[in-house]
Amino acid sequence: MEPMVQRATQSNQRSSRPTVRSLGLFLVGVGLLLLGIVASLTLPPLHSATSSGEEKPLAPARLNNPAPQLTLTDLEGKTVSLADYAGYVILVNNWATWCPPCRDEMPILQAYYQDYQAKGFVLIGIEAGDSVAEVSAFVQQYRLTFPIWLDEQNQALHAFANYALPNSYLIDRQGMVVMGWTGALSRHALETYITPLLEE
């Protein structure tokens, strides 16, 4: 009788070993999962950043070209030209109502314009091809106060030789195109590259 009890005990010990091993592996897995979660919450995100932790602004292409002789119409049907703003620092922004990144940057552009227009800064939004009704509705929705020009024939895109939207070009007080961007602008980019020209 006693040998049978010993064999049963040994059999139970052998059958419990895989259970203990499985439990151990499960606990290790849970530990690794918890470590991953903690790391994702504490480690900084992997993106291009400055030493202060801010994302780097979209860098412009450096240019040195005379501003194009561009004449269009505004929302009231009035003829307008870049020459009307001689002596200003001008940011020309080519955009369209259907363009998502254009919509994203509009509140940023509007806020910057409000803050710096008294320093001789003008922002000219040139809409690429939509109707007066569509553009007017957009302007009201976003409460835009800077000049909006209509460009049914895409003359501005031809003049700056850039057909990607949005794109922006900075014209200095001497009438030279000095910088250009393709893509939506951040407030950081505006402050980094345009504000110094306004302080001169």
Side-chain angles (χ1 to χ4, degrees), residues 28-186:
V28 169
V30 170
L32 290 173
L33 178 62
L34 291 174
L35 284 174
I37 293 172
V38 171
S40 67
L41 293 174
T42 57
L43 293 175
L46 296 176
H47 57 68
S48 179
T50 62
S51 58
S52 63
E54 296 179 344
E55 290 190 34
K56 291 181 180 178
L58 180 64
R62 298 289 181 169
L63 306 169
N64 187 31
N65 307 319
Q69 299 297 314
L70 191 60
T71 300
L72 297 167
T73 56
D74 63 15
L75 288 173
E76 286 72 43
K78 178 184 175 182
T79 299
V80 285
S81 173
L82 287 179
D84 298 337
Y85 295 95
Y88 284 80
V89 173
I90 306 168
L91 182 66
V92 174
N93 176 252
N94 291 300
W95 64 284
T97 60
W98 47 263
C99 163
C102 301
R103 294 195 295 266
D104 291 342
E105 72 176 350
M106 280 299 167
I108 296 168
L109 295 176
Q110 173 62 35
Y112 187 83
Y113 172 71
Q114 286 182 319
D115 290 344
Y116 287 99
Q117 60 178 320
K119 293 191 175 184
F121 171 73
V122 65
L123 169 61
I124 300 174
I126 302 180
E127 206 286 333
D130 289 321
S131 69
V132 175
E134 289 173 311
V135 179
S136 296
F138 185 98
V139 168
Q140 290 179 3
Q141 179 185 353
Y142 284 84
R143 300 179 181 178
L144 305 179
T145 60
F146 53 85
I148 299 292
W149 297 0
L150 302 172
D151 188 10
E152 294 182 1
Q153 304 300 321
N154 293 331
Q155 295 179 55
L157 302 183
H158 295 311
F160 290 102
N162 188 347
Y163 302 92
L165 295 176
N167 65 67
S168 300
Y169 289 88
L170 185 64
I171 302 171
D172 67 14
R173 297 186 195 276
Q174 289 71 48
M176 299 296 292
V177 181
V178 292
M179 299 180 202
W181 294 264
T182 298
L185 291 172
S186 66

Side-chain angles (χ1 to χ4, degrees), residues 12-24:
N12 289 338
Q13 288 175 346
R14 283 195 298 270
S15 63
S16 66
R17 284 172 190 162
T19 303
V20 172
R21 184 181 305 168
S22 298
L23 180 61

